[in-house]
Amino acid sequence: MDESLDHKLIYYINKWVKLDPEEEKKILASFEKQAVKKKIKLLEPGQVCQYIYFIIQGGARSYYHDAKGDEHIYQIRLENNWISDLESFFSQQPSKFYLETLEESIVLRISPEVLENLYEEVPKMERYFRILFQKAYINSLARLNSTMWETAEERYNEMIKENCDILQRVPQTYIASYLGIAPESLSRIRKKK
Amino acid sequence: MDESLDHKLIYYINKWVKLDPEEEKKILASFEKQAVKKKIKLLEPGQVCQYIYFIIQGGARSYYHDAKGDEHIYQIRLENNWISDLESFFSQQPSKFYLETLEESIVLRISPEVLENLYEEVPKMERYFRILFQKAYINSLARLNSTMWETAEERYNEMIKENCDILQRVPQTYIASYLGIAPESLSRIRKKK
DNA sequence: TTTTTTTCTTAACATAGGTTAAGGGTGCAG
DNA sequence: CTGCACCCTTAACCTATGTTAAGAAAAAAA
């Protein structure tokens, strides 16, 4: 049901901050729903990132090109997660990243101005994002540590354990890049099983 | 001057949220100042992390032991930065980390309960920490990306550029570990200059 | 001042993953 | 249905860094 998809956002916010119906209404009114086909770019280098996206359904990735022109995955996000170029979104400076759908997706998006306004109207959203960013930061430090001290195989196994259907939904070239290894190395790891 | 040291915290908070004198007073009243000698442990594995620390002066590191008993640096923080085991601090579950001073230090510390209370009394603190964690998360993603795709030498050079006196203040074994390389590899890199 | 501990460096050898080149299979577009 | 693009695999060779062992210098403690 269409309405129940929107309420996925409300459901996830309610996990961390208790909203009353009036607050829920204001939050939903602040987001725009968008259906996007696969491989559609939501952001390109040089553009200022105008939205942070909550993925109701589907998935997206962010990536950039290095000095040699090689593509590197920066983020992979599937449904029930947020994606953006946060640096550009908050600083309103041009981004260096592409943001692209991995499959046909439905997202809820909000702009920085509307989000600032929402913080004023619904202060619990400030708390929600404080909790979201604190958890994201904790996870990111743990992932950094794994990348430094674990083998590529260990990291791959942990990724599969956490999200066993990602292999069906995301090309292995992207998974390899997200793990910080070459596609050939991922094949080499997979062959060991 | 003793009082001006405390106001370092206020100065940094005011960079992102504008406080009135009443709010400043409440904030300072919520923190405890602590002078700690070098190599003193603020946290050990098995303990629940009871404080988040703002370092007024000096520095600290967090580290853990891997399955082989090898020590790995997780965080290095110098003055005007925060340090804690955030996972343990917010979940109130036992930590896996040591938290130890790098040199004689002065810190301001706050417990989770007092911080929750402060969020109620001074809502701008919710905003301050939302901004702090969002920036920390952005930096952590960038650092993760560098670790994956840049050489150890490139990462070392960037670290030195950002903090040129860290070599005088932090043992090179710690710097190597923080960069995700062996001490011998750091010596090899330094030899190239 | 001396001894001990800590820190740092060095080099030979080992290894995980990168690079290069090649080829096969699947899915999509015309 | 066919051809092309994309995805994935494989292996030989290369490289950045790890490991091991050893030793020197500096700092700290007695």
Side-chain angles (χ1 to χ4, degrees):
Chain A
M1 198 147 301
D2 193 59
E3 189 185 274
S4 70
L5 276 181
D6 292 357
H7 279 73
K8 262 188 147 194
L9 174 64
I10 296 303
Y11 168 81
Y12 280 99
I13 296 173
N14 268 313
K15 285 181 78 175
W16 297 338
V17 295
K18 296 309 173 201
L19 301 169
D20 62 43
E22 194 59 29
E23 290 169 325
E24 290 183 1
K25 200 170 155 188
K26 279 174 173 170
I27 291 167
L28 287 174
S30 299
F31 283 83
E32 304 161 44
K33 187 194 289 181
Q34 195 183 5
V36 199
K37 291 195 174 301
K38 179 175 177 173
K39 277 192 175 287
I40 295 300
K41 291 189 173 37
L42 302 170
L43 174 71
E44 296 192 27
Q47 294 176 340
V48 171
C49 189
Q50 299 290 3
Y51 301 102
I52 184 169
Y53 298 87
F54 181 78
I55 305 172
I56 296 178
Q57 200 169 68
R61 66 178 177 134
S62 69
Y63 67 99
Y64 70 99
H65 289 282
D66 68 16
K68 296 181 212 148
D70 295 329
E71 190 175 289
H72 297 276
I73 296 289
Y74 203 78
Q75 294 173 77
I76 293 179
R77 297 287 183 269
L78 301 180
E79 57 278 323
N80 309 325
N81 281 285
W82 296 84
I83 193 165
S84 188
D85 172 359
L86 290 176
E87 173 71 34
S88 178
F89 180 81
F90 287 115
S91 70
Q92 284 295 288
Q93 295 296 312
S95 177
K96 295 174 187 138
F97 296 94
Y98 296 89
L99 204 55
E100 183 181 85
T101 49
L102 290 165
E103 54 197 38
E104 190 151 339
S105 304
I106 304 176
V107 301
L108 292 174
R109 70 183 195 184
I110 188 168
S111 71
E113 303 79 27
V114 178
L115 182 56
E116 272 305 314
N117 199 55
L118 189 59
Y119 286 148
E120 296 300 318
E121 292 192 30
V122 184
K124 283 173 184 170
M125 287 305 284
E126 188 98 60
R127 181 177 177 85
Y128 170 76
F129 277 101
R130 192 265 299 165
I131 295 170
L132 179 74
F133 290 141
Q134 131 199 332
K135 285 176 183 285
Y137 176 52
I138 289 167
N139 285 338
S140 188
L141 280 185
R143 194 169 150 227
L144 171 60
N145 198 70
S146 296
T147 297
M148 287 183 182
W149 303 113
E150 293 175 15
T151 64
E153 183 176 350
E154 289 169 329
R155 302 204 312 278
Y156 172 70
N157 290 340
E158 280 162 17
M159 183 191 215
I160 295 309
K161 190 187 292 178
E162 277 175 29
N163 196 330
C164 53
D165 79 327
I166 197 171
L167 279 169
Q168 281 74 54
R169 299 178 63 189
V170 180
Q172 279 166 34
T173 307
Y174 295 174
I175 292 175
S177 184
Y178 180 78
L179 289 171
I181 63 177
E184 293 83 359
S185 300
L186 181 53
S187 284
R188 186 187 285 145
I189 287 168
R190 285 167 50 79
K191 180 184 180 181
K192 283 177 156 187
K193 297 190 168 344
Chain B
M1 198 145 302
D2 192 61
E3 192 186 271
S4 72
L5 276 181
D6 291 357
H7 279 75
K8 264 189 144 196
L9 174 64
I10 297 301
Y11 168 81
Y12 280 99
I13 296 172
N14 268 311
K15 286 182 76 177
W16 297 337
V17 295
K18 296 310 172 201
L19 301 170
D20 63 43
E22 195 59 29
E23 290 169 326
E24 290 183 0
K25 201 170 155 189
K26 278 174 174 169
I27 291 166
L28 286 174
S30 300
F31 282 83
E32 304 161 48
K33 187 195 290 182
Q34 196 182 4
V36 199
K37 291 194 171 304
K38 178 174 178 173
K39 276 192 177 287
I40 295 300
K41 292 190 171 37
L42 301 170
L43 175 70
E44 296 193 28
Q47 294 175 340
V48 170
C49 189
Q50 298 290 5
Y51 301 102
I52 184 169
Y53 298 87
F54 181 78
I55 305 172
I56 296 177
Q57 198 169 70
R61 66 176 177 135
S62 69
Y63 66 98
Y64 69 99
H65 289 282
D66 66 18
K68 296 183 211 145
D70 295 329
E71 190 175 288
H72 296 276
I73 296 289
Y74 203 77
Q75 295 174 76
I76 292 178
R77 297 287 183 267
L78 301 179
E79 57 279 320
N80 310 324
N81 280 283
W82 296 84
I83 193 166
S84 186
D85 172 358
L86 290 176
E87 174 70 35
S88 178
F89 180 81
F90 287 116
S91 70
Q92 285 296 287
Q93 295 297 311
S95 178
K96 296 175 188 136
F97 295 94
Y98 296 88
L99 204 54
E100 182 181 83
T101 48
L102 290 165
E103 53 196 39
E104 190 151 339
S105 304
I106 303 175
V107 300
L108 292 173
R109 70 183 196 184
I110 188 168
S111 71
E113 302 80 26
V114 179
L115 182 54
E116 272 306 315
N117 200 56
L118 190 57
Y119 285 149
E120 297 300 319
E121 291 191 31
V122 185
K124 284 172 182 169
M125 287 305 284
E126 190 95 62
R127 181 177 178 83
Y128 170 76
F129 277 101
R130 193 266 298 164
I131 296 170
L132 179 73
F133 291 141
Q134 132 198 334
K135 285 177 184 283
Y137 176 51
I138 289 167
N139 284 338
S140 187
L141 280 184
R143 194 170 150 226
L144 171 61
N145 197 71
S146 297
T147 297
M148 288 183 181
W149 304 113
E150 293 176 15
T151 65
E153 183 175 350
E154 290 171 328
R155 302 203 313 278
Y156 171 70
N157 290 340
E158 280 162 17
M159 184 191 213
I160 295 308
K161 190 187 294 179
E162 278 175 29
N163 195 330
C164 54
D165 79 327
I166 197 171
L167 278 169
Q168 282 72 54
R169 299 178 62 188
V170 179
Q172 281 168 33
T173 307
Y174 296 174
I175 291 175
S177 184
Y178 181 77
L179 289 172
I181 63 177
E184 294 82 358
S185 298
L186 181 52
S187 285
R188 187 186 284 146
I189 288 167
R190 285 166 50 77
K191 180 183 181 182
K192 283 177 157 188
K193 295 182 169 355

